[in-house]
Amino acid sequence: MALELFIERGFEQVTVTEVAEAADVSVNTVYNYFPTKEDLFFGLNQPMEASLAGIVRQREKGESLLTFLRQLLLGSLEPIKAMPSPEQDSTRQQVFRVIRESPALQARSLQMTASIEEDLAHALAEDMGTESDDIVPRLVAHLILTLYSKIFAEYARRRLKGESSEEIHAGLSAMITAGLDLLAHGIDASGDTELVV
């Protein structure tokens, strides 16, 4: 119900009181679960990457991080093969629109990403046996979250273009492979492509 209100009227135009009334709970109950209105919105649309640090910590002992990430990211594309219904797709596009139109949601999204990246960097540092402020786990965490962000944006772009589920799945799979190959082998792994500074 809250999501429908945000989609219909825009994030800034909906109050927490209205959300509470629509859900038939008290305003205090809403705030018990969501400290801010932005957290309420994103709680309804939890990004997959939010649990990355926990997922990395739970992987099998001795499993290569890159192998694990490749399986995780490629596995996350499987639902794309079953193209969402027009209603599901419309809702997803409307959620993107609400975020694009709200400076408050965009700012909160950046804060969430920074927090997720920090948590992931700590998990990677533990895994690598380094200090949490070491540059390597921080760069790896940043690249992983950037890859997530690009996949998300590319999915939206391709859906708007009207591509089939097969085309989208193939395109995003190629992006994941290229991103993780870069992580595995560095800039020189891109073959004939030369970085000019």
Side-chain angles (χ1 to χ4, degrees):
M1 182 60 76
L3 184 58
E4 285 84 355
L5 286 173
F6 289 132
I7 287 174
E8 181 184 326
R9 292 165 46 197
F11 179 75
E12 273 76 15
Q13 285 66 46
V14 177
T15 67
V16 174
T17 300
E18 289 171 320
V19 169
E21 287 172 359
D24 198 24
V25 297
S26 71
V27 171
N28 285 343
T29 298
V30 174
Y31 280 122
N32 283 341
Y33 287 95
F34 305 103
T36 68
K37 189 168 77 162
E38 291 79 10
D39 291 330
L40 168 62
F41 180 88
F42 283 113
L44 299 168
N45 304 278
Q46 190 71 347
M48 188 179 102
E49 62 268 32
S51 57
L52 258 180
I55 293 171
V56 165
R57 285 187 174 102
Q58 291 169 12
R59 83 181 198 278
E60 303 239 347
K61 284 271 188 200
E63 184 178 6
S64 154
L65 178 62
L66 279 171
T67 299
F68 173 78
L69 288 172
R70 195 175 304 275
Q71 291 172 346
L72 178 69
L73 290 171
L74 291 174
S76 74
L77 300 182
E78 287 307 301
I80 291 173
K81 289 180 178 176
M83 190 62 87
S85 69
E87 295 79 18
Q88 290 171 315
D89 199 48
S90 173
T91 299
R92 186 176 290 131
Q93 296 302 325
Q94 292 298 323
V95 168
F96 294 159
R97 176 187 57 77
V98 172
I99 295 170
R100 279 195 312 269
E101 293 174 356
S102 171
L105 287 176
Q106 290 176 35
R108 182 64 183 124
S109 178
L110 289 173
Q111 290 173 343
M112 288 169 58
T113 300
S115 176
I116 292 166
E117 185 175 316
E118 183 75 13
D119 289 345
L120 181 58
H122 279 278
L124 293 172
E126 290 168 16
D127 191 70
M128 296 172 183
T130 66
E131 296 298 321
S132 60
D133 59 352
D134 187 84
I135 189 63
V136 173
R138 292 193 168 276
L139 285 175
V140 172
H142 187 76
L143 179 59
I144 291 168
L145 285 174
T146 300
L147 183 55
Y148 260 106
S149 172
K150 295 302 178 190
I151 292 166
F152 184 76
E154 183 67 1
Y155 172 83
R157 186 187 74 79
R158 287 172 178 263
R159 285 295 287 141
L160 286 173
K161 266 180 65 179
E163 289 189 12
S164 70
S165 57
E166 293 80 12
E167 289 172 316
I168 295 172
H169 189 275
L172 298 187
S173 295
M175 283 182 69
I176 289 170
T177 298
L180 293 180
D181 284 351
L182 175 64
L183 186 57
H185 306 293
I187 292 172
D188 291 339
S190 54
D192 296 333
T193 305
E194 191 172 319
L195 183 67
V196 179
V197 181

